[in-house]
């Protein structure tokens, strides 16, 4: 299992996460991104979104269960 932590304050709204992983990231009317699903069975492209974020606003944490 994986949990996504998203620092909305740090997010500069560049759109990279939504472009790379559109099934799990959306852009909001505030000009920030938003994860659609926080708890994940499979990390998938969220790992790519984490790596692409220019301000380190996405953290993927692997949980024990
Ligand atoms: S990649 Fe990072 S800064 Fe860009 S929209 Fe996503 S969370 Fe925000």
């Amino acid at each position: 299992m994986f949990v996504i932590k998203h620092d909305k304050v740090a997010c500069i709204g560049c759109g990279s996460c939504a472009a790379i992983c559109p099934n799990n990231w959306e852009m909001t009317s505030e000009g920030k991104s938003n994860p659609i699903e926080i708890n994940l069975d499979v990390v998938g492209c969220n790992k790519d979104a984490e790596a692409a974020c220019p301000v380190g606003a996405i953290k993927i944490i692997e949980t024990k269960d």
Side-chain angles (χ1 to χ4, degrees), residues 1-3 7 9-10 13-15 17 21 25 27 31 33-34 36 42-43 45 47 50 53-55 59-60 65:
M1 290 285 296
F2 301 88
V3 174
D7 185 344
V9 174
C14 72
C17 53
C21 200
W25 290 88
M27 299 308 293
S33 66
N34 199 45
I36 295 164
V42 178
V43 72
C45 56
K47 203 73 186 164
E50 178 188 45
C53 180
V55 294
K59 301 283 184 225
I60 310 245
D65 48 344

Side-chain angles (χ1 to χ4, degrees), residues 1-57:
M1 290 285 296
F2 301 88
V3 174
I4 293 177
K5 301 281 187 194
H6 179 229
D7 185 344
K8 198 165 266 192
V9 174
C11 174
I12 58 170
C14 72
S16 293
C17 53
I20 289 168
C21 200
N23 288 338
N24 205 61
W25 290 88
E26 61 187 2
M27 299 308 293
T28 71
S29 57
E30 304 169 298
K32 304 271 185 171
S33 66
N34 199 45
I36 295 164
E37 183 69 50
I38 300 287
N39 295 298
L40 306 167
D41 290 328
V42 178
V43 72
C45 56
N46 290 286
K47 203 73 186 164
D48 300 325
E50 178 188 45
C53 180
V55 294

